[in-house]
């Protein structure tokens, strides 16, 4: 009775021409890329988010310090040291995660395995929020770089940013073939340009010859505040936005060549080393040249312009590489957001649609959702990094905290296992390990540090926008749990495990809703005849002349079936029909079905589709909650 | 065989809770109001568009003149005289239309009857464009009045404007009960406030005591141009935006009490008299007090503030009445745009959906379309009347020109009829009339004048934005005719008038697409049994464990029907199913149907609906162009 058939997952012929043009033909045998990557490529693939943040992190430290006057900008350097120390702590902590979760240790998974549903959903909500902000911030910063090089674009910055987001969305809807080279070229281009710029800059700074920036942008701030600890902490909080992206490698361990934990771990060390050096060097050089934080020109641009003595080819290459790496960072979020969304949806905490892969093997719904929300943020905050930054990074630090706390708890559990016992969890395997106390302390200390930073964040940037995220996170978590409850309730309602009596269908009355008598109507009648012999055609009459014509035609073509004319003095279409169905339904017995057949002509070209009303869809909406009523649209193709 | 049933056009029970909350319960017996109105109410109902334009017309004359320096602002007065003369010519011309078309003589109908399809569609396109601009301009001006009184709102002006548009949209979606009082109160409030303001102003100006405006807003313009004829004409063109709305009464003659042409005609004279006087008085007073045109404070506000010596209660009442009448003007467009759209759609030049009235007897699609486009314009032009005005009024003057040219042609036709002969046209009846030459000359002269003004418009405001409308109108007309061609082609394809052979349905194979075996699946199976005995259940397998469970359950519940498992190694849902259907379909004989039955559980609350995928809808999109394949969604209601 049961027949199993093996099919290739190849896809159907192009569904729509426009879609194909924009998104490419559906992928034929598009399996996820199974080839693994080495450390050099891995660095390129996973570090664009982290490394690109040097384009705005130091600058946003300057922005806060400049509130107290330009003379205090040199505090940026000690703040950068503080951030570098935090980076070291985080790196140690995440090294342990990478080795404990060789299958991928994202905050959601680590928190779910070790802390439970609520912390896991919280970490997920925080991360989803922050992926959106990664897109908005990275793209806004990318546009700011462009605008620095071509000031004439300043007026259009919001639209350029939205255009970039839509462009990246399109690419992701097409399905990114995650070939290492596509990532390696821009990442290493950026690394080379930054290294050259920094080395020349440092050489000129040490051996003389690097002066202040020429024609600095006008200072945006007029009201000078006193330099307080609060300001220092706020500047520090802004700077730590550079640490977002550090977790990327721990999410993607499976992409690495074996021994993958080791390779991923070494790559993390490289990334942290490069990021830390760049942060310190850029902070030092920017202070040295007296760069001015401003919306009209980025600190990176002022730096490159000063080091290269003007807007020459090297300057342009530096700006181009920075813009591109920032776009790559946004692109990373386009990969991570839908994947995390699918993970939530698979566990029943987000709509199931997010688990659905389109014909090009991508999570289309998640990609579109991300693009829409990020674009909205860009428009609302006018593509200003300074406006967006107070919202940013809180989510990441919350997920850092939860993830490391989860790790600490994991070591505690490991430490209390008898030697030789193995406990399998969804994400990793627990066994007794020597030195679990040290490991627990490292992760615990990391968790504590990021918690402190998060509190500093929340306090110092609260009124500038952080309150939005602080408010949003619990709301999201509540929504996630409501969705979960809904799905569980539904499954129970649909279940056959309890006593269930089938109502056998006794008879099926068919109503054909006709607007005229034409070929489409006759196709619908032919379908109706296969369903039942109890067929009634119903026409809602608005124009008596038209109705007379329909009656005449039905007499000839209607195969002798009944035609009911419903007069509609107020020219309404749907309501008289609904009322008629109500009346018929009132006489229903158990097991009686009513099938409403709606003829629908289908034009050849998709662009003519919107010229036709979807009567079936309107009926469906109106009758969805009526039991035993089925609506069937019978298409009739017109060449 | 044919049974006719009379039904009241009452509507169905509330379709959706949210919709009901926002839009009100569907109207029960909501026929169009049949009571007719007198002249006083008629003036209130039809003049808000025309009268409200004094809030921006004179100001926009000032804006252009101020480009040549503030000393030239006094040219506003002679320009206002010129506009008043044009108003007199238009009034004479439209008096004749009102008497010739007692059933309503909008530009679309007059042009269609007398000039043909192309001019009619052009007039319609121009009017539709201008209704959109009426909303954008009126609301932007309304917000500018508000902002003048409460400068703190300036930053939020775009969002206030969009909010107002959405508010008016909601009201119109609920269905406006066009009771005269609802219009009379705000219109007469405005007329009273304006009369008081103007009379006190004139008295103070004549008997001394009306000085220059105190604390005028800062002048926006810095670069001074020479005063040329071009500038004068451009100022004039801006001022004629005050004449939009003059045609409103001729569209709505049927609303008047008998003798309706006479009543409508007298109302038009009143309206023209009031509008002309207000234009002249405001221009005079604004010149007298040296009002400064600026985005931050409207001329009306400066006038009221100067006449009432500050922002007292009378000042606030004036501003409030102006803001409200401007909103009423936008509301008028919300009545006219969907009605004209329905007229076009009824003739087959716009999508049929625009003829569809929702459960509250309004043309919902037209209303929503208008709100969306007008809001977009407001956002793009930042709610600035000065930015929007170059696009405005060209459409109205084009339709004036065509409508009056149509009238002139009508008199020509009348003049060549034998006495006693009557020719019926859709909109009016032609018979010989004495004095047809004079009437033809009056309409012809009116047409000529508005044509000249339109050319002046196009030339002087071309690069400020008029080019958009000049480009858009022919594009719209082309689209209208393409749509018309499509509908005609379709009707021919569907026609039964030519030889047509029915293919009798021979067999109907049913495929039930199942994601699991639950109560919804069994409901779908019961439906399928009424359709055919040839039933196959198909499951796309992603998780082997899940599949094994489904096979086991189907063995028990599946009534012995076949279950086919389609493996999907790449976790795609739709594609394996489509491929299977393709394969089945390849063996189809003429007369074979394939019915795909999709179980769909329906949750009780509308807000949970988005948590469920509409598999049927996705299949429909993919299979729409496949002949003889019917998709049926069988709903299963979950409490």
């Amino acid at each position: 009775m049961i027949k199993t058939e093996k099919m290739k997952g190849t896809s159907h012929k192009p569904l729509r021409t426009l879609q194909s043009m924009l998104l490419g033909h559906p992928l034929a045998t598009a399996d996820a890329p199974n080839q693994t990557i080495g450390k050099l490529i891995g660095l390129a693939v996973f570090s664009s988010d982290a490394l690109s943040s040097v384009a705005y992190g130091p600058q946003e430290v300057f922005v806060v310090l400049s509130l107290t006057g330009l003379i205090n900008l040199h505090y940026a350097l000690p703040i950068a040291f503080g951030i570098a120390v935090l980076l070291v702590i985080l790196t140690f902590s995440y090294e342990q995660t990478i080795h404990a979760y060789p299958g991928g240790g994202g905050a959601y998974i680590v928190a779910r395995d070790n802390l439970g549903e609520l912390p896991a959903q919280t970490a997920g909500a925080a991360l989803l929020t922050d992926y959106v902000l990664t897109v908005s911030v990275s793209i806004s910063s990318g546009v700011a770089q462009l605008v620095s090089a071509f000031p004439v674009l300043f007026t259009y910055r919001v639209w350029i940013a939205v255009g970039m987001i839509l462009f990246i969305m399109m690419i992701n809807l097409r399905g990114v073939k995650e070939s290492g080279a596509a990532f390696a070229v821009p990442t290493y281009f950026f690394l080379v340009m930054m290294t050259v710029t920094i080395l020349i800059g440092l050489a000129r700074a040490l051996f003389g010859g690097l002066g202040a920036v020429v024609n600095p942008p006008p200072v945006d701030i007029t009201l000078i505040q006193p330099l307080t600890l609060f300001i220092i902490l706020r500047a520090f909080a802004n700077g730590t936005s550079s640490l977002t992206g550090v977790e990327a490698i721990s999410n993607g361990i499976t992409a690495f060549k074996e021994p993958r934990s080791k390779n991923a771990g070494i790559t993390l060390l490289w990334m942290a080393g490069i990021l830390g050096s760049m942060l310190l060097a850029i902070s030092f050089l920017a202070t040295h040249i007296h760069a001015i934080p401003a919306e009209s020109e980025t600190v990176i641009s002022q730096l490159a312009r000063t080091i290269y003595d003007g807007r020459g080819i090297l300057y342009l290459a530096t700006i181009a590489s920075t813009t591109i790496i920032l776009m790559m960072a946004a692109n990373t979020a386009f990969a991570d957001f839908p994947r995390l969304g699918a993970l939530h949806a698979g566990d029943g905490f987000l709509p199931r649609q997010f688990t659905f892969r389109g014909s090009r093997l991508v999570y289309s719904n998640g990609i579109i959702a991300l693009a829409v929300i990020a674009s909205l943020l860009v428009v609302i905050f006018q593509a200003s990094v300074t406006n967006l930054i107070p919202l940013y990074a809180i989510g990441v630090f919350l997920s850092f905290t939860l993830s490391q706390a989860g790790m600490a708890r994991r070591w505690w559990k490991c430490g209390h296992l008898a030697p030789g016992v193995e406990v399998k969890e969804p994400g990793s395997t627990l066994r007794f390990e020597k030195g679990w106390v040290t490991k627990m302390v490292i992760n615990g200390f990391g968790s504590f540090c990021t918690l402190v930073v998060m509190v500093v964040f929340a306090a110092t940037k609260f009124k500038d926008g952080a309150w939005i995220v602080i408010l949003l996170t619990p709301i999201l978590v509540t929504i996630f749990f409501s969705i979960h409850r809904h799905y569980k309730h539904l499954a129970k309602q649909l279940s056959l495990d309890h006593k269930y009596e089938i109502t056998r269908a006794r008879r099926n009355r068919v109503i054909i809703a006709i607007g005229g008598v034409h070929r489409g109507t006759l196709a619908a009648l032919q379908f109706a005849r296969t369903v039942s012999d109890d067929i009634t055609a119903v026409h809602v009459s608005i124009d008596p002349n038209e109705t007379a014509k329909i009656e005449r035609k039905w007499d000839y073509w209607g195969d002798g079936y009944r035609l009911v004319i419903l007069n509609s003095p107020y020219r309404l279409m749907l309501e008289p029909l609904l009322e008629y169905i109500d009346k018929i339904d009132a006489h229903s017995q158990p097991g009686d079905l009513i099938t409403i057949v709606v003829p629908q002509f289908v034009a050849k070209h998709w662009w003519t589709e919107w010229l036709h009303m979807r009567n079936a869809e309107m009926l469906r909406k109106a009758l969805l909650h009526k039991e035993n009523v089925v609506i069937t649209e019978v298409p009739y193709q017109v060449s």
Side-chain angles (χ1 to χ4, degrees), chain A:
Chain A
M1 193 55 54
I2 293 169
K3 199 175 124 204
T4 303
E5 205 161 313
K6 287 236 181 286
M7 301 202 88
K8 281 243 305 293
T10 57
S11 74
H12 200 245
K13 70 177 79 141
L15 308 182
R16 283 159 169 253
T17 321
L18 180 73
Q19 191 178 326
S20 292
M21 261 163 54
L22 291 178
L23 308 180
H25 286 282
L27 290 178
T29 45
D31 50 339
N34 276 324
Q35 78 272 36
T36 51
I37 53 180
K39 292 190 286 288
L40 274 174
I41 299 289
L43 182 69
V45 170
F46 292 109
S47 67
S48 61
D49 185 8
L51 298 184
S52 69
S53 60
V54 300
Y56 49 82
Q59 163 157 349
E60 295 305 318
V61 173
F62 270 45
V63 167
V64 175
L65 290 175
S66 72
L67 295 174
T68 69
L70 297 179
I71 46 158
N72 286 323
L73 289 186
H74 63 272
Y75 282 96
L77 206 53
I79 287 174
F81 270 107
I83 295 167
V85 170
L86 189 59
L87 174 62
V88 171
I89 296 169
L90 265 177
T91 306
F92 271 97
S93 192
Y94 267 92
E95 278 294 331
Q96 299 193 155
T97 304
I98 286 174
H99 287 90
Y101 283 83
Y108 181 70
I109 291 167
V110 174
R112 193 182 58 186
D113 278 10
N114 299 296
L115 301 176
E117 283 294 7
L118 183 62
Q121 294 304 321
T122 309
L127 273 178
L128 287 174
T129 312
D130 239 47
Y131 285 141
V132 175
L133 284 159
T134 298
V135 174
S136 304
V137 168
S138 300
I139 292 294
S140 296
S141 177
V143 172
Q145 311 298 337
L146 262 190
V147 164
S148 303
F150 309 100
V152 68
L153 298 177
F154 186 75
T155 329
Y156 311 106
R157 65 197 187 287
V158 175
W159 303 116
I160 296 173
V162 171
M164 277 186 183
I165 293 174
L166 297 182
F167 173 71
I168 297 173
M169 179 190 82
M170 281 296 176
I171 288 182
N172 279 278
L173 285 178
R174 281 191 78 104
V176 194
K177 204 164 150 224
E178 291 191 346
S179 77
F183 285 88
V185 173
T187 306
Y188 284 107
F189 177 39
F190 173 72
L191 279 184
V192 168
M193 286 317 303
M194 270 296 137
T195 310
V196 170
T197 309
I198 287 171
L199 287 182
I200 296 181
L202 288 178
R204 288 186 59 184
L206 289 178
F207 307 113
L210 187 67
V213 61
V214 183
N215 290 328
V219 183
D220 293 340
I221 286 95
T222 44
L223 197 76
I224 292 195
Q225 305 176 9
L227 181 73
T228 56
L229 180 64
F230 184 83
I231 290 278
I232 296 274
L233 286 175
R234 200 169 131 203
F236 172 77
N238 267 1
T240 50
S241 61
S242 286
L243 300 186
T244 63
V246 166
E247 79 289 1
I249 291 175
S250 69
N251 288 333
I253 307 168
T254 49
F256 283 87
K257 282 209 178 88
E258 292 287 359
R260 54 192 191 191
S261 283
K262 195 178 154 218
N263 283 328
I266 293 171
T267 311
L268 174 61
L269 288 180
W270 288 358
M271 182 175 89
I274 296 169
L275 175 59
S277 321
M278 289 206 310
L279 274 180
L280 290 172
I282 289 173
S283 300
F284 167 74
L285 288 170
T287 313
H288 188 90
I289 65 158
H290 300 292
I292 307 283
E295 288 285 349
S296 56
E297 189 180 2
T298 61
V299 166
I300 293 285
S301 167
Q302 295 174 47
L303 207 58
R305 187 155 66 78
T306 309
I307 289 169
Y308 296 128
D309 286 326
R311 296 173 193 256
I313 185 80
L314 281 171
Y315 165 82
L316 287 176
T318 308
I319 294 296
S321 74
T322 312
T323 307
I324 292 170
I325 193 97
L326 283 160
M327 289 180 74
M328 300 296 291
N331 185 64
T332 307
F334 270 92
D336 291 341
F337 179 92
R339 209 181 288 145
L340 181 57
L343 217 58
H344 277 267
D347 289 350
F349 286 91
L350 266 180
R352 293 255 191 261
Q353 285 91 322
F354 286 103
T355 62
F356 179 74
R357 286 181 182 223
S359 55
R360 290 187 66 86
L361 293 175
V362 295
Y363 298 111
S364 324
N365 291 314
I367 290 171
I368 293 168
L370 175 61
V372 168
I373 309 172
S375 298
L376 263 179
L377 282 180
V378 163
V379 172
I380 293 172
F381 290 92
Q382 292 290 297
S384 156
V385 175
T386 303
N387 291 345
L388 282 163
I389 213 85
L391 283 72
Y392 193 40
I394 300 187
V396 166
F397 274 80
L398 178 52
S399 79
F400 280 166
T401 305
L402 289 167
S403 150
Q404 294 173 109
M407 285 302 295
R409 173 117 172 70
R410 181 179 183 280
W411 298 124
W412 173 265
K413 290 193 286 183
C414 286
H416 288 75
L417 286 177
V421 175
E422 286 203 350
V423 177
K424 274 213 187 298
E425 284 188 348
S428 74
T429 307
L430 306 186
R431 64 178 71 79
F432 180 80
E433 278 186 53
K434 267 189 187 164
W436 63 270
V437 177
T438 319
K439 286 174 176 172
M440 188 176 77
V441 168
I442 290 176
N443 280 131
F445 182 66
S447 178
F448 174 74
C449 289
T450 48
L451 178 69
V452 169
V453 171
M454 196 189 67
V455 171
V456 168
F457 253 76
T460 58
K461 311 204 283 185
F462 187 82
K463 75 174 180 45
D464 300 310
W467 63 271
I468 300 175
V469 177
I470 293 169
L471 200 69
L472 189 66
T473 310
I475 292 175
L476 282 179
V477 171
T478 311
I479 292 174
F480 290 177
F481 275 97
S482 315
I483 291 173
H484 194 58
R485 228 176 4 256
H486 170 77
Y487 281 129
K488 278 207 300 208
H489 174 74
L490 192 76
K492 223 173 85 187
Q493 289 268 321
L494 285 171
S495 168
L496 294 167
D497 295 343
H498 317 287
K499 193 173 143 55
Y500 176 65
E501 200 147 328
I502 301 176
T503 318
R504 296 273 168 202
R506 212 173 58 96
R507 64 167 173 165
N508 194 343
R509 283 173 291 176
V510 176
I511 294 171
I512 312 182
I514 65 171
V517 180
H518 50 64
R519 300 186 178 191
T521 321
L522 300 192
L525 179 59
Q526 289 309 313
F527 173 82
R529 290 167 61 112
T530 70
V531 176
S532 175
D533 289 325
D534 185 346
I535 296 175
T536 311
V538 174
H539 173 68
V540 176
S541 166
I542 283 177
D543 176 353
N545 297 327
E546 192 62 30
T547 304
K549 235 164 70 184
I550 287 171
E551 288 179 330
R552 216 166 45 242
K553 281 195 190 170
W554 186 259
D555 253 353
Y556 184 81
W557 293 101
D559 281 354
Y561 289 105
R562 191 168 55 237
L563 171 66
V564 173
I565 304 289
L566 305 174
N567 285 321
S568 174
Y570 304 112
R571 307 178 65 84
L572 291 170
M573 299 292 291
L574 205 56
E575 287 72 5
L577 188 58
L578 294 177
E579 195 154 312
Y580 178 78
I581 293 163
D582 268 354
K583 231 174 56 182
I584 297 286
D585 189 42
H587 303 293
S588 280
Q589 305 289 323
D592 278 8
L593 293 175
I594 297 176
T595 300
I596 297 156
V597 173
V598 185
Q600 174 80 45
F601 36 77
V602 177
K604 199 174 170 187
H605 304 290
W606 62 266
W607 54 267
T608 54
E609 213 177 285
W610 62 280
L611 293 174
H612 307 294
M613 283 172 77
R614 292 269 327 269
N615 294 315
E617 188 56 28
M618 284 193 290
L619 279 172
R620 177 187 178 272
K621 283 202 181 115
L623 294 172
L624 201 57
H625 295 282
K626 228 176 166 54
E627 276 180 46
N628 303 319
V629 174
V630 174
I631 291 143
T632 298
E633 186 185 83
V634 178
Y636 179 78
Q637 285 78 11
V638 180
S639 69

